[in-house]
Amino acid sequence: MITFDKNTELLSKLLDLTSTKSKVIANNIANVNTPGYQKLEVTFEKELQDAIAQGSIENIKSLKEKIELSHDAGNGKDGNSVDIDKEMIDFFKSSDKHNMYLDILVKKFKNLIYAIESK
C-alpha cells in the first residue's frame, strides 16, 4: 500500500469534500424552479479544522461531510428556498477551491516525477 505525506492526504480529502459540495450546489441550481424544494448544504469546515488541529492524518482521512437541509429561507414564493444568485456564487467559490487544490497536488506529483527521473 502506498502512503503519502500529510499534505497529500489533506489535499486528496479537500478534493473529495469540494467535489461533494459542488455536486450539492449543482443539485440546488437544477431545482431552482421546483416548487417546495428545500436547498441542501454541505458542511465540513469546522470538522476539518478540528482534525487538522489534532494533527492526525487518520482523523483527516476519516472526515465525512454533512449534507443537510439549509436553514436559509430563500426568496421563492412557492416554498422553494434556493437563491440562484447565492448558489452561483457558492458554486464558483467551490470550483475555484477545487481547482486550486488540484493545481497544488499536480505540482507535488510533477516534483516527485522530476526527482525520480533525475537519478
Side-chain angles (χ1 to χ4, degrees):
M1 179 176 171
I2 297 174
T3 57
F4 294 103
D5 63 67
K6 286 182 179 181
N7 291 332
T8 303
E9 295 289 351
L10 176 61
L11 287 166
S12 175
K13 180 52 93 175
L14 287 169
L15 285 170
D16 291 343
L17 295 171
T18 54
S19 176
T20 300
K21 188 167 190 165
S22 292
K23 289 176 187 174
V24 168
I25 294 170
N27 188 57
N28 289 338
I29 292 169
N31 285 288
V32 70
N33 292 323
T34 303
Y37 177 81
Q38 296 298 300
K39 103 178 213 182
L40 298 173
E41 289 182 335
V42 177
T43 58
F44 59 85
E45 289 84 1
K46 173 76 172 93
E47 292 80 6
L48 179 62
Q49 287 175 350
D50 291 345
I52 292 171
Q54 293 169 357
S56 168
I57 196 64
E58 293 305 318
N59 289 349
I60 293 171
K61 288 169 69 174
S62 66
L63 180 68
K64 299 286 184 199
E65 66 275 40
K66 292 180 185 171
I67 301 173
E68 51 195 21
L69 285 175
S70 172
H71 298 290
D72 290 347
N75 56 6
K77 294 177 182 171
D78 56 4
N80 186 308
S81 65
V82 176
D83 179 340
I84 190 67
D85 294 331
K86 183 177 181 317
E87 293 302 310
M88 294 301 291
I89 291 169
D90 288 346
F91 184 78
F92 287 118
K93 283 181 181 177
S94 182
S95 295
D96 282 347
K97 286 180 182 176
H98 186 86
N99 290 336
M100 179 182 65
Y101 302 143
L102 189 58
D103 286 345
I104 294 170
L105 198 57
V106 166
K107 286 178 185 173
K108 284 183 68 77
F109 282 112
K110 281 184 178 177
N111 286 339
L112 182 62
I113 290 170
Y114 177 77
I116 291 170
E117 291 177 347
S118 297
K119 281 189 171 182

